[in-house]
Amino acid sequence: MVDSTDDVDKLYEFGERLNDAKDKSQHRQDYEGIIVAANGSVKAKQLAAQLIPKFFKFFPQLVVQALDQHFNLIEDQELGVRVQAIRGLPLFCKATPEHLSKIVDILGQLLVAGENVERDAVHKALLTVLRQDVKTSLTALFKRIGSIEDQSAEDLSTWDSIRKKVLLFLRDKVFPLKAELLVPQEPMERHITTLVKQNLQDVTAAEFKMFMDFLKSLSLFGHNAPTERIQELVEIIEGQADLDAQFNVLDADHIERFISCISMAFPFFKRGASGSKFLNYLNKQIMPVFDKLPEQWKLDLLKSLAECSLCATTQDSRQLLPSVVQLLKKYMVRRKIEEVNYTCIECLLYIFHHLAHKTPNATNSLCGYKIVTGQPSDRLGEDFSEQYKDFTERLSTVEDLARSMIKKLTQGMADQNKALAAAKTDEEKDAIKTQKQTATIALRACNNILAMTPPLHTKTPKFIGDQKLNLSWKEATKPSGPPTATVAGQKRPAATTNGSSSNALKKGRGAGGMQHQLVNKAFSGIYEGGRTSGRGGNRSWRGRGRGRSYH
């Protein structure tokens, strides 16, 4: 429509009369005139977008007409009209809070706007509404990241686009302002915690990590939080790990999720929360089928268990030890062979020490030791000499293999130093540096094995129960270049994880401990297209499909 000064002049008249009127509700015709004039020229639409919300509260009988017209302005072809209409949305809720949830929902949908100025207007409007009523606003906003169950197939793409933008807004705009917005602190932190917990049914790994990082940052779960609150965080993680589900060794999604979740929960175990549910699930569901696991997950699982063994209870330790000893014997061969997984042996010996330290007499029947505690479980009257002979022979073989490997690695590293000095291209130097780094990790693993085996040759060993021994992959390493980015949902090649031979001991995870390569990979790419079609309404660690129409 062609711009007309008549439209604008009329709007100014309507606006002036309403401004001057003591009882504005008596000027219904002027407000209706503003609503009608919003169909006029571009300038008239921009002015109407200011006046409609300004006088909205005085005409409750015109709510439907006013909102419908303003929403039409939000969808106008002219950017300037849309921006002005967006800026006016918070005014609708200022004096009439019953419309707040609807306005927040509309603003949430508008986060997908392509123009920067339009998107900025949406951000500012949402923050304004959040400051007006943070509890109601957050509740409405979180509805945009809920389950897909009520979405039709054709709406999934739209729903997912909006959902992604809402998550970005929460992460970048809301979470950093938690100290300002979450007031009063404790009840509001409790409210947003509840909202998060209610909307975790269908999240990717990266989204889950984002929410958990936010919850950890709340005072509610801070350093002085009681154990029961820390346990609440563990229970949230347990829900994501599907610990009530039957384990399927062919379900790579579940395996990845379990390892990522137990790694995420480990810091909370150190703060006093119980890891028994994870360890029980591991013992009953995963350890019996450990041999059938895909190779790329075996080492990650053992590394996770090695760290968590520090926090195992006496009961957990007693239940886990038989499975750990059985697995340890499989890796500690009785005859000298070329293919030995030293990192797995390092993990298992570390686990064995820390579990046995908590329940030493449980090793009597498993390894033939003679540890006396005065309890019937000592089983000192039974003959377990064969177990002792078998176990110590395996220890001796592994020690010989580890010493031999240390010699090979030491010589190999010397050769690598010479090769590095002779290398001419950056590619050659980087390849040699990577080989040296791998050899260094392997050397640490072998040295750790030789540090853990000597006490186990005696009939009454003193098990290691402290953290003085640094696991090989936890040592800080300086990469030769920037780390290679990983793609969310992409599987790692087995060669980078399983450490299946003496020549395939892998690079560690750096100084980050449990935040290892698996977790970094699983939790990467939250907003980089990592979502794929998931498992319908069920939780999928790698992705899912969603959707909802605009209105």
Side-chain angles (χ1 to χ4, degrees):
M1 182 176 290
V2 180
D3 284 1
S4 170
T5 56
D6 290 343
D7 293 338
V8 176
D9 289 342
K10 286 181 180 179
L11 279 168
Y12 276 120
E13 289 179 15
F14 297 146
E16 287 174 1
R17 278 200 293 269
L18 284 168
N19 266 330
D20 295 338
K22 292 183 178 180
D23 186 359
K24 294 176 176 39
S25 62
Q26 298 300 314
H27 291 260
R28 173 172 173 159
Q29 287 185 341
D30 289 329
Y31 193 64
E32 288 176 330
I34 293 172
I35 295 173
V36 173
N39 295 315
S41 64
V42 171
K43 290 184 179 179
K45 290 177 180 179
Q46 287 178 304
L47 184 54
Q50 299 177 54
L51 296 176
I52 290 174
K54 182 178 180 179
F55 300 110
F56 175 75
K57 63 181 179 180
F58 300 108
F59 302 98
Q61 68 275 32
L62 297 176
V63 165
V64 175
Q65 297 93 314
L67 288 175
D68 284 348
Q69 188 66 289
H70 201 84
F71 294 157
N72 289 335
L73 296 176
I74 288 172
E75 297 178 323
D76 197 84
Q77 293 182 351
E78 288 291 331
L79 176 62
V81 174
R82 297 200 303 272
V83 170
Q84 190 60 62
I86 290 167
R87 289 171 178 166
L89 283 173
L91 293 174
F92 285 108
C93 345
K94 195 168 185 180
T96 53
E98 63 270 20
H99 300 294
L100 191 141
S101 293
K102 174 65 175 176
I103 297 302
V104 171
D105 185 64
I106 293 296
L107 285 168
Q109 296 175 64
L110 290 171
L111 285 168
V112 297
E115 298 288 343
N116 288 337
V117 64
E118 189 174 3
R119 193 163 54 251
D120 288 345
V122 174
H123 289 171
K124 291 177 181 177
L126 268 173
L127 288 173
T128 298
V129 176
L130 279 161
R131 290 184 175 99
Q132 290 176 10
D133 186 341
V134 64
K135 185 174 184 179
T136 305
S137 298
L138 283 174
T139 302
L141 206 54
F142 265 83
K143 289 180 180 178
R144 280 286 165 185
I145 57 175
S147 175
I148 65 172
E149 291 180 359
D150 59 343
Q151 309 308 316
S152 59
E154 63 270 17
D155 293 335
L156 292 179
S157 178
T158 302
W159 168 258
D160 199 54
S161 296
I162 295 170
R163 182 184 183 280
K164 182 170 71 171
K165 295 298 183 181
V166 170
L167 285 168
L168 276 168
F169 179 76
L170 287 171
R171 185 194 70 178
D172 297 339
K173 303 295 182 180
V174 177
F175 291 172
L177 295 176
K178 62 179 183 293
E180 173 192 346
L181 295 175
L182 301 182
V183 178
Q185 187 182 69
E186 186 169 340
M188 281 311 306
E189 286 190 350
R190 173 51 62 190
H191 177 67
I192 199 169
T193 298
T194 301
L195 290 175
V196 169
K197 291 166 69 173
Q198 290 172 346
N199 289 279
L200 293 176
Q201 298 91 346
D202 194 36
V203 293
T204 62
E207 292 164 0
F208 183 62
K209 182 179 184 298
M210 179 193 77
F211 282 125
M212 289 306 300
D213 286 345
F214 171 68
L215 293 180
K216 285 191 299 182
S217 73
L218 298 177
S219 298
L220 198 66
F221 304 105
H223 294 299
N224 297 322
T227 303
E228 57 266 25
R229 286 190 189 166
I230 306 305
Q231 188 65 41
E232 183 180 352
L233 294 178
V234 170
E235 289 171 1
I236 294 173
I237 300 172
E238 288 172 351
Q240 280 297 303
D242 275 355
L243 300 184
D244 294 324
Q246 179 69 33
F247 182 72
N248 179 1
V249 73
L250 300 178
D251 186 355
D253 180 83
H254 195 182
I255 299 168
E256 180 180 350
R257 193 155 10 98
F258 178 86
I259 299 173
S260 299
C261 285
I262 196 172
S263 301
M264 185 187 294
F266 174 64
F268 304 129
F269 300 158
K270 293 178 72 174
R271 294 178 62 184
S274 171
S276 293
K277 194 167 183 180
F278 274 104
L279 295 178
N280 287 338
Y281 189 87
L282 177 69
N283 186 45
K284 294 178 181 179
Q285 298 275 349
I286 300 179
M287 293 299 273
V289 294
F290 185 87
D291 289 342
K292 297 179 182 179
L293 286 173
E295 285 298 322
Q296 66 263 36
W297 301 123
K298 287 182 179 178
L299 184 57
D300 282 301
L301 188 64
L302 291 179
K303 286 181 175 181
S304 298
L305 180 56
E307 297 227 21
C308 290
S309 65
L310 296 167
C311 307
T313 64
T314 300
Q315 183 178 357
D316 294 334
S317 300
R318 187 172 292 276
Q319 290 176 349
L320 263 173
L321 264 174
S323 298
V324 170
V325 171
Q326 184 180 7
L327 194 57
L328 183 56
K329 287 181 178 180
K330 288 182 180 180
Y331 279 95
M332 291 200 313
V333 292
R334 295 189 66 173
R335 59 186 178 86
K336 296 179 182 180
I337 59 175
E338 291 296 321
E339 299 291 322
V340 177
N341 192 321
Y342 292 100
T343 310
C344 282
I345 295 174
E346 176 198 12
C347 288
L348 286 163
L349 282 172
Y350 190 88
I351 296 165
F352 175 75
H353 267 285
H354 282 85
L355 297 184
H357 179 75
K358 298 180 179 70
T359 175
N361 68 345
T363 63
N364 291 351
S365 60
L366 297 171
C367 308
Y369 292 137
K370 296 290 185 179
I371 297 172
V372 180
T373 65
Q375 299 297 319
S377 54
D378 291 347
R379 300 176 68 176
L380 296 177
E382 301 179 52
D383 183 12
F384 298 112
S385 56
E386 284 299 316
Q387 285 89 333
Y388 177 76
K389 180 182 177 182
D390 177 71
F391 193 68
T392 52
E393 285 180 357
R394 291 175 187 273
L395 286 172
S396 297
T397 301
V398 166
E399 288 169 334
D400 290 342
L401 289 169
R403 292 188 189 100
S404 176
M405 179 53 59
I406 288 173
K407 291 180 181 179
K408 291 179 182 180
L409 290 169
T410 303
Q411 180 60 48
M413 292 174 74
D415 294 340
Q416 288 162 0
N417 287 334
K418 294 177 183 178
L420 184 61
K424 296 180 179 180
T425 66
D426 290 340
E427 288 77 9
E428 289 175 336
K429 292 178 181 179
D430 286 343
I432 295 169
K433 288 177 181 178
T434 299
Q435 292 170 5
K436 283 188 61 179
Q437 193 176 50
T438 302
T440 300
I441 300 297
L443 196 59
R444 291 190 190 119
C446 290
N447 282 324
N448 281 343
I449 289 172
L450 294 179
M452 289 187 283
T453 53
L456 302 181
H457 284 282
T458 67
K459 282 283 188 177
T460 56
K462 298 294 184 183
F463 300 111
I464 298 170
D466 54 37
Q467 301 181 51
K468 292 179 181 179
L469 187 143
N470 286 319
L471 292 162
S472 60
W473 64 89
K474 294 184 67 179
E475 293 290 340
T477 56
K478 294 183 179 179
S480 57
T484 302
T486 52
V487 179
Q490 180 176 322
K491 291 183 180 179
R492 280 175 302 177
T496 64
T497 58
N498 66 20
S500 60
S501 74
S502 60
N503 296 318
L505 281 156
K506 305 307 173 216
K507 247 189 318 188
R509 297 166 176 140
M514 294 309 292
Q515 299 302 318
H516 50 64
Q517 292 173 356
L518 168 69
V519 179
N520 290 337
K521 181 206 71 160
F523 292 153
S524 67
I526 181 170
Y527 306 117
E528 299 174 4
R531 255 181 238 111
T532 57
S533 179
R535 297 181 291 177
N538 295 328
R539 184 183 301 107
S540 177
W541 200 241
R542 292 194 180 96
R544 61 213 171 322
R546 309 173 187 275
R548 177 173 286 177
S549 60
Y550 179 80
H551 289 294

